[in-house]
Protein backbone atom coordinates (compact mmCIF):
# COMPACT_ATOMS: atom_id res chain seq x y z
CA UNK A 1 0.00 0.00 0.00
CA UNK A 2 1.14 3.55 -0.72
CA UNK A 3 0.22 6.94 0.72
CA UNK A 4 1.29 10.18 -0.98
CA UNK A 5 0.33 13.26 1.04
CA UNK A 6 1.43 16.90 0.93
CA UNK A 7 0.07 19.87 2.90
CA UNK A 8 1.00 23.52 2.32
CA UNK A 9 -0.09 26.93 3.56
CA UNK A 10 0.82 30.54 2.66
CA UNK A 11 -0.21 33.72 4.49
CA UNK A 12 0.65 37.41 4.29
CA UNK A 13 -0.55 40.53 6.11
CA UNK A 14 0.41 44.10 6.88
CA UNK A 15 0.74 43.71 10.64
CA UNK A 16 0.53 40.02 11.55
CA UNK A 17 0.59 36.77 9.59
CA UNK A 18 0.33 33.30 11.07
CA UNK A 19 -0.33 29.89 9.57
CA UNK A 20 0.36 26.21 9.84
CA UNK A 21 0.22 23.03 7.81
CA UNK A 22 0.02 19.39 8.87
CA UNK A 23 0.18 16.10 6.97
CA UNK A 24 -1.22 13.28 9.16
CA UNK A 25 -0.99 9.74 7.82
CA UNK A 26 -2.17 6.51 9.43
CA UNK A 27 -1.69 3.08 7.81
CA UNK A 28 -2.39 -0.37 9.21
CA UNK A 29 -1.80 -3.50 7.12
CA UNK A 30 -1.85 -7.25 7.67
CA UNK A 31 -0.68 -10.10 5.42
CA UNK A 32 -1.16 -13.79 6.32
CA UNK A 33 -0.29 -17.01 4.48
CA UNK A 34 -1.17 -20.24 6.25
CA UNK A 35 -1.52 -24.00 5.99
CA UNK A 36 -3.49 -25.09 9.04
CA UNK A 37 -6.57 -26.84 10.41
CA UNK A 38 -5.29 -30.42 9.99
CA UNK A 39 -4.47 -29.94 6.31
CA UNK A 40 -2.59 -32.68 4.43
CA UNK A 41 -0.44 -31.28 1.62
CA UNK A 42 1.61 -33.54 -0.66
CA UNK A 43 3.56 -32.27 -3.66
CA UNK A 44 6.28 -33.45 -6.02
CA UNK A 45 7.33 -29.81 -6.43
CA UNK A 46 8.24 -27.03 -3.99
CA UNK A 47 5.74 -26.08 -1.31
CA UNK A 48 5.86 -22.36 -0.54
CA UNK A 49 3.94 -20.51 2.15
CA UNK A 50 4.83 -16.90 1.48
CA UNK A 51 3.52 -13.68 3.02
CA UNK A 52 4.86 -10.32 1.85
CA UNK A 53 3.95 -6.71 2.62
CA UNK A 54 5.38 -3.50 1.15
CA UNK A 55 4.06 -0.33 2.78
CA UNK A 56 5.12 3.11 1.58
CA UNK A 57 4.39 6.60 2.93
CA UNK A 58 5.62 9.77 1.22
CA UNK A 59 4.64 12.77 3.30
CA UNK A 60 5.36 16.49 3.07
CA UNK A 61 4.33 19.65 4.91
CA UNK A 62 5.34 23.26 4.17
CA UNK A 63 4.37 26.76 5.22
CA UNK A 64 5.32 30.32 4.21
CA UNK A 65 4.23 33.44 6.10
CA UNK A 66 5.23 37.07 5.67
CA UNK A 67 4.30 40.37 7.29
CA UNK A 68 5.58 43.91 7.57
CA UNK A 69 5.48 43.43 11.36
CA UNK A 70 5.28 39.88 12.78
CA UNK A 71 4.98 36.49 11.03
CA UNK A 72 4.87 33.01 12.54
CA UNK A 73 4.21 29.56 11.16
CA UNK A 74 4.73 25.82 11.65
CA UNK A 75 4.81 22.73 9.45
CA UNK A 76 4.17 19.22 10.83
CA UNK A 77 4.44 15.77 9.21
CA UNK A 78 3.06 12.88 11.31
CA UNK A 79 3.17 9.25 10.16
CA UNK A 80 1.85 6.22 12.02
CA UNK A 81 2.49 2.86 10.32
CA UNK A 82 1.63 -0.56 11.74
CA UNK A 83 2.13 -3.85 9.86
CA UNK A 84 1.79 -7.54 10.69
CA UNK A 85 3.14 -10.22 8.34
CA UNK A 86 2.77 -13.94 9.14
CA UNK A 87 3.60 -17.18 7.30
CA UNK A 88 2.59 -20.37 9.10
CA UNK A 89 2.36 -24.14 8.84
CA UNK A 90 0.36 -25.25 11.86
CA UNK A 91 -1.47 -28.40 12.95
CA UNK A 92 -0.92 -29.98 9.51
CA UNK A 93 1.15 -32.42 7.48
CA UNK A 94 3.20 -31.07 4.54
CA UNK A 95 5.56 -33.00 2.27
CA UNK A 96 7.52 -32.39 -0.92
CA UNK A 97 8.94 -35.55 -2.47
CA UNK A 98 11.42 -33.88 -4.84
CA UNK A 99 11.42 -30.18 -3.96
CA UNK A 100 11.84 -27.79 -1.05
CA UNK A 101 9.47 -26.45 1.60
CA UNK A 102 9.61 -22.72 2.25
CA UNK A 103 7.85 -20.65 4.91
CA UNK A 104 8.67 -16.99 4.24
CA UNK A 105 7.42 -13.77 5.85
CA UNK A 106 8.79 -10.49 4.51
CA UNK A 107 8.08 -6.87 5.44
CA UNK A 108 9.39 -3.74 3.68
CA UNK A 109 8.40 -0.37 5.17
CA UNK A 110 9.50 2.83 3.41
CA UNK A 111 8.95 6.39 4.63
CA UNK A 112 10.01 9.60 2.88
CA UNK A 113 9.32 12.81 4.82
CA UNK A 114 9.85 16.53 4.11
CA UNK A 115 8.85 19.35 6.48
CA UNK A 116 9.80 23.00 5.89
CA UNK A 117 8.79 26.36 7.37
CA UNK A 118 9.69 29.93 6.35
CA UNK A 119 8.53 33.07 8.17
CA UNK A 120 9.68 36.66 7.70
CA UNK A 121 8.50 39.86 9.40
CA UNK A 122 9.63 43.45 9.54
CA UNK A 123 9.89 43.21 13.33
CA UNK A 124 9.98 39.49 14.02
CA UNK A 125 9.65 36.12 12.34
CA UNK A 126 9.26 32.65 13.86
CA UNK A 127 9.15 29.32 12.03
CA UNK A 128 9.07 25.69 13.12
CA UNK A 129 9.02 22.28 11.49
CA UNK A 130 8.48 18.83 12.96
CA UNK A 131 8.57 15.24 11.74
CA UNK A 132 7.09 12.43 13.87
CA UNK A 133 7.34 8.85 12.62
CA UNK A 134 5.92 5.90 14.55
CA UNK A 135 6.53 2.49 12.96
CA UNK A 136 5.51 -0.85 14.45
CA UNK A 137 6.08 -4.11 12.54
CA UNK A 138 5.62 -7.73 13.54
CA UNK A 139 7.02 -10.35 11.18
CA UNK A 140 6.71 -14.07 11.91
CA UNK A 141 7.57 -17.28 10.03
CA UNK A 142 6.70 -20.45 11.93
CA UNK A 143 6.07 -24.16 11.88
CA UNK A 144 4.11 -25.31 14.92
CA UNK A 145 2.61 -28.67 15.85
CA UNK A 146 3.16 -29.98 12.33
CA UNK A 147 4.87 -32.76 10.39
CA UNK A 148 7.00 -31.50 7.52
CA UNK A 149 9.01 -33.68 5.10
CA UNK A 150 11.18 -31.95 2.53
CA UNK A 151 13.38 -33.71 -0.01
CA UNK A 152 15.27 -30.47 -0.47
CA UNK A 153 15.99 -27.52 1.79
CA UNK A 154 13.48 -26.59 4.49
CA UNK A 155 13.54 -22.79 4.83
CA UNK A 156 11.77 -20.88 7.60
CA UNK A 157 12.66 -17.20 7.29
CA UNK A 158 11.35 -13.87 8.56
CA UNK A 159 12.74 -10.65 7.06
CA UNK A 160 12.10 -7.07 8.09
CA UNK A 161 13.51 -4.00 6.35
CA UNK A 162 12.57 -0.45 7.43
CA UNK A 163 13.82 2.64 5.55
CA UNK A 164 13.30 6.28 6.57
CA UNK A 165 14.44 9.41 4.72
CA UNK A 166 13.76 12.53 6.77
CA UNK A 167 14.41 16.13 5.61
CA UNK A 168 13.54 19.17 7.73
CA UNK A 169 14.28 22.88 7.40
CA UNK A 170 13.19 26.19 8.92
CA UNK A 171 13.99 29.87 8.36
CA UNK A 172 12.82 32.69 10.61
CA UNK A 173 13.74 36.27 9.65
CA UNK A 174 12.87 39.54 11.40
CA UNK A 175 14.15 43.10 11.62
CA UNK A 176 14.43 42.74 15.40
CA UNK A 177 14.27 39.00 16.05
CA UNK A 178 14.13 35.83 14.05
CA UNK A 179 13.49 32.40 15.58
CA UNK A 180 13.50 28.97 13.93
CA UNK A 181 13.46 25.40 15.17
CA UNK A 182 13.07 21.81 13.97
CA UNK A 183 12.08 18.68 15.92
CA UNK A 184 12.43 15.05 14.83
CA UNK A 185 10.87 12.07 16.64
CA UNK A 186 11.39 8.53 15.31
CA UNK A 187 10.00 5.53 17.19
CA UNK A 188 10.54 2.11 15.60
CA UNK A 189 9.22 -1.06 17.26
CA UNK A 190 10.11 -4.26 15.46
CA UNK A 191 9.54 -7.94 16.26
CA UNK A 192 10.98 -10.41 13.73
CA UNK A 193 10.78 -14.14 14.55
CA UNK A 194 11.41 -17.43 12.76
CA UNK A 195 11.02 -20.72 14.58
CA UNK A 196 9.95 -24.37 14.60
CA UNK A 197 8.07 -25.63 17.67
CA UNK A 198 6.47 -28.94 18.68
CA UNK A 199 6.94 -30.40 15.19
CA UNK A 200 8.45 -33.41 13.41
CA UNK A 201 10.91 -32.38 10.68
CA UNK A 202 12.62 -34.48 7.99
CA UNK A 203 14.71 -32.55 5.48
CA UNK A 204 17.31 -33.24 2.80
CA UNK A 205 20.07 -30.94 1.63
CA UNK A 206 18.82 -29.85 -1.78
CA UNK A 207 19.77 -26.65 -3.58
CA UNK A 208 20.99 -23.72 -1.51
CA UNK A 209 18.56 -20.87 -0.85
CA UNK A 210 19.36 -17.18 -0.50
CA UNK A 211 18.79 -15.70 2.96
CA UNK A 212 19.70 -12.45 4.69
CA UNK A 213 22.42 -12.46 7.32
CA UNK A 214 24.93 -10.28 9.15
CA UNK A 215 28.52 -10.18 7.94
CA UNK A 216 30.96 -9.38 10.75
CA UNK A 217 33.69 -8.61 8.23
CA UNK A 218 31.77 -5.85 6.45
CA UNK A 219 29.50 -4.92 9.40
CA UNK A 220 26.48 -5.09 7.15
CA UNK A 221 23.67 -7.37 6.01
CA UNK A 222 24.15 -9.41 2.87
CA UNK A 223 22.65 -12.34 0.98
CA UNK A 224 23.95 -15.70 2.24
CA UNK A 225 23.42 -19.10 0.62
CA UNK A 226 22.33 -21.90 2.95
CA UNK A 227 20.95 -25.42 2.53
CA UNK A 228 19.46 -28.20 4.65
CA UNK A 229 17.44 -26.96 7.59
CA UNK A 230 17.43 -23.14 7.49
CA UNK A 231 15.74 -21.06 10.19
CA UNK A 232 16.62 -17.35 9.93
CA UNK A 233 15.25 -14.06 11.25
CA UNK A 234 16.76 -10.73 10.15
CA UNK A 235 15.85 -7.13 10.88
CA UNK A 236 17.35 -4.20 8.96
CA UNK A 237 16.86 -0.46 9.46
CA UNK A 238 18.11 2.47 7.39
CA UNK A 239 17.64 6.08 8.51
CA UNK A 240 18.85 9.09 6.50
CA UNK A 241 18.19 12.51 8.07
CA UNK A 242 19.05 16.08 7.21
CA UNK A 243 17.96 18.94 9.48
CA UNK A 244 18.64 22.57 8.57
CA UNK A 245 17.71 25.51 10.83
Amino acid sequence: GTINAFAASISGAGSFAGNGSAALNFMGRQAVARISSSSNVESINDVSVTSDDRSVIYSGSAQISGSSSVAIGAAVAYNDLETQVTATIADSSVSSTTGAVKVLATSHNTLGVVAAGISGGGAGGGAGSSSVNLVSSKVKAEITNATVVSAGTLQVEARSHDSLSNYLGTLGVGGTIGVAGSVVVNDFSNSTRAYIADSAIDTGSGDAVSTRGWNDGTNDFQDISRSGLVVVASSEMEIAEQVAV
Side-chain angles (χ1 to χ4, degrees), residues 1-27:
T2 301
I3 292 178
N4 295 295
F6 185 79
S9 62
I10 300 175
S11 65
S15 59
F16 174 81
N19 68 7
S21 66
L24 310 178
N25 302 297
F26 302 86
M27 179 184 288

Side-chain angles (χ1 to χ4, degrees), residues 161-184:
H161 185 196
D162 296 327
S163 175
L164 168 64
S165 299
N166 219 3
Y167 302 95
L168 279 78
T170 56
L171 177 64
V173 179
T176 303
I177 184 173
V179 179
S182 297
V183 177
V184 177

Side-chain angles (χ1 to χ4, degrees), residues 61 112-116 129 131 164-169 184 240-244:
S61 181
V113 184
V114 176
S129 64
S131 171
L164 168 64
S165 299
N166 219 3
Y167 302 95
L168 279 78
V184 177
E241 290 186 327
Q242 291 186 1
V243 180

Side-chain angles (χ1 to χ4, degrees), residues 31-34 47-53 85-89 101-107 139-143 153-159 193-194 209-212 230-232:
V32 178
R34 176 181 293 137
V47 176
S48 296
V49 183
T50 302
S51 181
D52 182 85
D53 179 74
V85 184
T86 304
T88 302
I89 296 177
V101 176
K102 301 178 181 181
V103 183
L104 308 176
T106 307
S107 172
V139 186
K140 181 171 63 175
E142 63 177 353
I143 297 176
T153 295
L154 172 58
Q155 180 183 9
V156 182
E157 182 171 9
R159 297 186 185 184
R193 298 189 296 159
V209 296
S210 177
T211 68
R212 294 294 283 175
V230 179
V231 182
V232 178

